[in-house]
Amino acid sequence: MTLLIEILSWACILGGSFFTVVSAVGILRFPDFWARLHAASVGDSGGMILLIAGMCLQSGLTLITVKLIAIGIFLFITGPTATHAVANAALVTGWRPTSGEGLEPEENAPYADADPSVHDE
Amino acid sequence: MQHHLILRVITKLLVGMIILFAFYVQFHGDFSPGGGFQAGVIMAVAFILYGLVFGLEKVQGVFPPWIVHKLVALGVLLYAGVGVLNMLLGYEFLHYGSLDPHHMSHGQHTGIIWIEAGVGITVTGVMIAIYYAFAGRPPRLGDDDW
Amino acid sequence: MIETIINVILFAMLVTTAFAIVRTTRLFAVVMLSGVFSLLTAMLFVTLDAVDVAFTEAAVGAGISTVLMLGTIALTTRSTKAPTRSSTMPLVLVVLTGAVLFYGTLDMPNFGDPNAPAQVHLAPHYLTDSIEEIDVPNVVTSILASYRGFDTLGEVAVVFTAGIGVLLILSGLRRRREEEEEDEA
């Protein structure tokens, strides 16, 4: 039983570390703002959940697990919100994906009138 | 004002939790890391977050500037007042043991809770007052200049 | 061993962030980087087991001061001005000060040295007797609030004075600007 929990928790921790490293590479290597933001948010949510699950399994049924779950819920709420705020700000400023040149904005969508000619460098 | 819906909902959720955490840090400071300075800053963060998302008028409606300015002084007065009370009870300035002369250590504990409250009140007041002072002035940069 | 590696990595990132702050001209990026700097410092404090200081640093450095600096940018401009004088003299001064500080650390006892003067004089008394004298389990709180209560009163007075000073400066500026606008009109 102990061995099983150890294996599970280390699988979670290694998986979480892998996601975090991958998202860091993605932030550095992806071509434009939107793809980079996507990479960052994947690392934020996916990697964080796995890491915290692994740490919960390590600590067992203690107060530490309760605190870890509270931290997890907190990050689970704030991470995507921060990503949303950044993406929203970029959309309002008029940035559009570089790879979507033929893309027409949706009718009646918010900021459909923003200037699509402004790209990031 | 439709487009900040998510931020608004999440902020409403978080502000309460942050204030609760500030009280925890304030009053649990005797048993775990924490105390007035940290709690004051965390408490101020809750109001600053509310002000950032909902606007200065809303947060000043919740916590008017004149109250904030009074709080800045109230904390220091509370701290020094505990010391003066100790002197009136016949001991040295800030000798909290005098609050309970039969159990000096209990008196110390009571005194620490009061002076930590004073520290927390002053730090909260100063942080929020500085935020109001910065945010209350008309900015030179327009929204498009960023 | 693992702690040394973590310390080396954190310090390397701190130095990198500091250089990035110096080299960047866009003030918005500078503000964000200084938030990163504060978070790294907070992590260093955690590895030193100074959790109190760590979360003060995280809340003040990364939270409030970022907001206040963004507010300052909104009141001024968003990029640095080109320096008007050469920066050789300041560089020499900074290097000299750094060298003196390094020289000063040579005399200091190692981190966590049990024979350091700070550990043999008062610390044992605080650690063994504070529960009986103060009845507070957290020794940091009992030292800060009771043994050094007068010191902490001074700190609160400093926070109070600083707050009043900032308020006075900002409200004075506002009055002056209003007068200027009246003069122009």
Side-chain angles (χ1 to χ4, degrees):
Chain A
M1 192 60 199
T2 327
L3 183 73
L4 192 69
I5 289 179
E6 282 286 304
I7 291 173
L8 263 179
S9 82
W10 278 107
C12 281
I13 289 178
L14 286 178
S17 315
F18 174 74
F19 272 116
T20 314
V21 171
V22 163
S23 88
V25 173
I27 294 172
L28 288 175
R29 298 286 301 160
F30 274 168
D32 72 342
F33 170 79
W34 304 95
R36 270 183 252 151
L37 192 66
H38 167 72
S41 65
V42 165
D44 243 24
S45 307
M48 184 272 300
I49 291 171
L50 282 174
L51 279 176
I52 285 185
M55 284 188 269
C56 282
L57 288 173
Q58 283 276 325
S59 56
L61 281 176
T62 52
L63 190 63
I64 298 175
T65 311
V66 179
K67 288 180 184 173
L68 278 172
I69 291 173
I71 294 172
I73 293 174
F74 202 75
L75 289 176
F76 197 69
I77 297 172
T78 52
T81 313
T83 313
H84 162 78
V86 173
N88 192 43
L91 192 70
V92 175
T93 333
W95 286 16
R96 294 289 179 271
T98 41
S99 50
E101 262 159 46
L103 210 63
E104 285 298 314
E106 260 179 82
E107 289 294 313
N108 298 325
Y111 314 115
D113 54 334
D115 183 11
S117 62
V118 188
H119 291 305
D120 62 331
E121 58 272 48
Chain B
M1 276 297 142
Q2 196 76 52
H3 45 273
H4 286 318
L5 184 68
I6 296 180
L7 283 184
R8 281 156 184 265
V9 172
I10 298 295
T11 307
K12 278 182 191 166
L13 205 71
L14 289 185
V15 164
M17 281 206 271
I18 296 174
I19 291 179
L20 189 67
F21 184 61
F23 278 120
Y24 168 77
V25 171
Q26 170 85 51
F27 292 111
H28 211 257
D30 305 350
F31 305 99
S32 62
F37 289 100
Q38 291 86 348
V41 171
I42 294 171
M43 183 69 96
V45 164
F47 288 98
I48 291 176
L49 175 67
Y50 192 80
L52 282 179
V53 176
F54 288 86
L56 195 64
E57 291 82 29
K58 276 278 176 67
V59 71
Q60 287 191 340
V62 176
F63 212 175
W66 65 269
I67 292 186
V68 176
H69 294 165
K70 302 282 185 296
L71 284 184
V72 173
L74 177 71
V76 184
L77 283 179
L78 182 59
Y79 197 137
V82 173
V84 173
L85 180 65
N86 298 144
M87 286 170 80
L88 290 180
L89 290 170
Y91 288 79
E92 298 92 339
F93 185 63
L94 293 177
H95 189 302
Y96 316 130
S98 61
L99 295 176
D100 191 351
H102 306 294
H103 272 284
M104 281 291 189
S105 61
H106 289 190
Q108 290 277 1
H109 203 150
T110 321
I112 285 177
I113 287 178
W114 281 107
I115 64 122
E116 290 278 8
V119 174
I121 290 172
T122 292
V123 173
T124 311
V126 167
M127 287 299 171
I128 297 180
I130 293 178
Y131 167 69
Y132 282 176
F134 270 99
R137 305 178 63 204
R140 282 191 181 173
L141 287 182
D143 280 346
D144 298 332
D145 296 340
W146 291 86
Chain C
M1 183 59 205
I2 192 105
E3 202 164 311
T4 319
I5 296 175
I6 292 176
N7 277 336
V8 166
I9 292 176
L10 283 178
F11 271 115
M13 284 165 77
L14 265 185
V15 172
T16 319
T17 319
F19 272 108
I21 290 176
V22 174
R23 300 297 301 170
T24 315
T25 51
R26 278 156 57 198
L27 287 178
F28 189 83
V30 170
V31 171
M32 291 303 146
L33 282 171
S34 65
V36 172
F37 192 89
S38 290
L39 278 182
L40 287 169
T41 322
M43 281 198 245
L44 269 172
F45 285 137
V46 172
T47 61
L48 291 174
D49 277 340
V51 192
D52 305 58
V53 195
F55 72 92
T56 318
E57 178 68 41
V60 178
I64 291 184
S65 59
T66 307
V67 173
L68 291 185
M69 282 195 276
L70 286 179
T72 319
I73 291 181
L75 295 176
T76 54
T77 55
R78 54 178 294 235
S79 57
T80 49
K81 295 192 175 101
T84 48
R85 320 175 177 183
S86 114
S87 49
T88 330
M89 264 308 283
L91 181 68
V92 171
L93 199 67
V94 166
V95 170
L96 265 181
T97 318
V100 169
L101 287 176
F102 261 111
Y103 178 70
T105 60
L106 294 181
D107 273 349
M108 281 175 61
N110 285 330
F111 175 70
D113 184 0
N115 296 319
Q119 313 281 4
V120 293
H121 182 50
L122 267 176
H125 173 77
Y126 290 152
L127 289 177
T128 50
D129 298 344
S130 77
I131 261 291
E132 206 175 298
E133 288 176 4
I134 312 282
D135 192 27
V136 167
N138 184 3
V139 187
V140 176
T141 300
S142 61
I143 293 176
L144 180 119
S146 183
Y147 290 118
R148 300 188 186 161
F150 201 62
D151 185 26
T152 311
L153 177 61
E155 277 176 53
V156 179
V158 166
V159 171
F160 171 75
T161 321
I164 299 291
V166 170
L167 289 182
L168 279 178
I169 291 172
L170 285 177
S171 60
L173 276 180
R174 186 195 295 160
R175 202 172 304 134
R176 200 180 307 150
R177 195 183 285 178
E178 276 167 9
E179 279 169 10
E180 276 171 16
E181 279 165 8
E182 278 172 15
D183 288 347
E184 283 167 13

